[in-house]
Amino acid sequence: MRETPRSQGTAGDAEPVLPQPRPGRALAHTTGASGSGSPHRSDGRPPQTPRGARHPGRHGGPGTTPPVPGPPTVLPPSRTPSSRTFPSRALLVPAALLVLLALCTWQIVRHGPLRSLDERLGRAIAGSPFPSPVAGFLADLGNTAVALPVLGAALVWSLWRARRTGAVRWWLPALAATVAMALVPALVIPFKALVDRPGPPGPLASESGFFPSGHTATAAVAYGAAALLLCPHPGQGQGQGQGRRRALFAAVTLLNAGVGVGLVRCAYHWPLDVVAGWCLTGALLWTVARLSRADGTATGPEPGGSPTAPRPRTGP
């Protein structure tokens, strides 16, 4: 038979030729040299980390590394979006107080409807059957002769306690309270002269400059700052300490409300004068509270309390 002649193809039509392993060379997936007994080494030595001893990871992933002796590494927690936005949300409290103060001032200066309602409410409270001696006693609690000694005693106790507990900036809360108290006349006196509101009918009807109330501002800052200095910081007090904190703040709130009612009942101020004093000093007390938390108090025992047990050390 005649053979079929082969077609003359080009170089590109040639069939690929697979490379053949040369004898005497070890490959990664072939057995080693003859007589070695090792599936991966050609020199006869045992493997350091045989592939058969590795355990596959999840879903057939690569093998895990051997455990490393020592304590486990704990990464710091990542900053969450809520912790980043907390300072901006905390600023809503003083911002709301300042907005309310601006609204009251605008109504008083422009003789708006809120001023008319305020004057009617003031006359009704002044003519109420609330006992005059009790109202006079409550109004006198806003005098500097009464409020400043209370704040001074709280300052002394706070400084002594902060030094004993080992606070880093032990002087910061006391300094913040002192500056807030000094800012009361510096803010109230020019405010009174600027608005120049006449007083309600009564013993001081011939005078002017009643907005905002200086007695209200003095009582709010003095008693409020004293409560912030006397109470333990959030997170330190436990059980009865938190209960005493809530009770003291409730008592201070009722005391300031009583001062405001006494001032209006004795015809010393209009109701909006009292509200403006609370708004102005609320921003100051917010600053004192924030600085009191940032005094760097070390975690330690309260005066007369038991020391905190040291945290056990892990690892070598």
Side-chain angles (χ1 to χ4, degrees):
M1 295 177 63
R2 297 180 60 182
E3 296 182 355
T4 304
R6 300 178 63 182
S7 61
Q8 300 295 328
T10 61
D13 297 334
E15 296 182 359
V17 179
L18 298 177
Q20 300 295 328
R22 288 179 292 178
R25 300 295 300 270
L27 297 178
H29 299 285
T30 59
T31 58
S34 60
S36 63
S38 174
H40 303 295
R41 300 184 69 100
S42 60
D43 53 0
R45 292 181 296 171
Q48 294 180 355
T49 54
R51 294 182 181 270
R54 295 189 181 184
H55 302 281
R58 295 182 179 180
H59 307 291
T64 59
T65 58
V68 179
T73 302
V74 180
L75 298 177
S78 59
R79 187 181 294 270
T80 58
S82 60
S83 62
R84 289 195 297 264
T85 58
F86 175 73
S88 60
R89 289 185 296 183
L91 289 174
L92 292 177
V93 175
L97 293 174
L98 294 178
V99 168
L100 182 58
L101 175 62
L103 175 62
C104 295
T105 306
W106 172 62
Q107 286 292 302
I108 296 300
V109 172
R110 294 295 183 179
H111 296 270
L114 191 58
R115 174 170 178 169
S116 302
L117 178 62
D118 175 57
E119 293 176 354
R120 290 197 299 269
L121 179 61
R123 293 189 183 96
I125 296 177
S128 65
F130 191 82
S132 298
V134 177
F137 172 77
L138 293 175
D140 291 340
L141 294 178
N143 291 331
T144 55
V146 180
L148 289 184
V150 175
L151 179 59
L155 287 172
V156 172
W157 190 89
S158 174
L159 291 173
W160 171 80
R161 174 183 173 272
R163 288 294 300 271
R164 186 173 180 181
T165 54
V168 179
R169 294 180 294 272
W170 54 271
W171 43 266
L172 186 57
L175 178 62
T178 304
V179 172
M181 193 70 244
L183 286 176
V184 170
L187 295 175
V188 171
I189 293 177
F191 216 134
K192 286 175 174 286
L194 182 63
V195 178
D196 196 24
R197 185 186 189 185
L204 304 177
S206 59
E207 300 181 10
S208 61
F210 286 80
F211 183 90
S213 172
H215 284 68
T216 302
T218 300
V221 172
Y223 302 134
L228 290 173
L229 294 174
L230 293 176
C231 287
H233 302 302
Q236 287 184 351
Q238 299 292 337
Q240 295 182 356
Q242 291 292 341
R244 288 193 299 266
R245 179 184 178 88
R246 297 190 190 97
L248 182 57
F249 280 136
V252 170
T253 302
L254 292 176
L255 178 62
N256 281 278
V259 171
V261 172
L263 290 172
V264 178
R265 172 64 179 83
C266 295
Y268 295 153
H269 280 285
W270 298 105
L272 277 186
D273 302 344
V274 175
V275 174
W278 286 337
C279 293
L280 183 62
T281 56
L284 297 177
L285 288 177
W286 178 87
T287 306
V288 174
R290 299 290 292 184
L291 292 178
S292 299
R293 298 178 186 179
D295 62 345
T297 304
T299 304
E302 294 286 334
S306 59
T308 304
R311 189 175 293 180
R313 185 177 179 181
T314 58

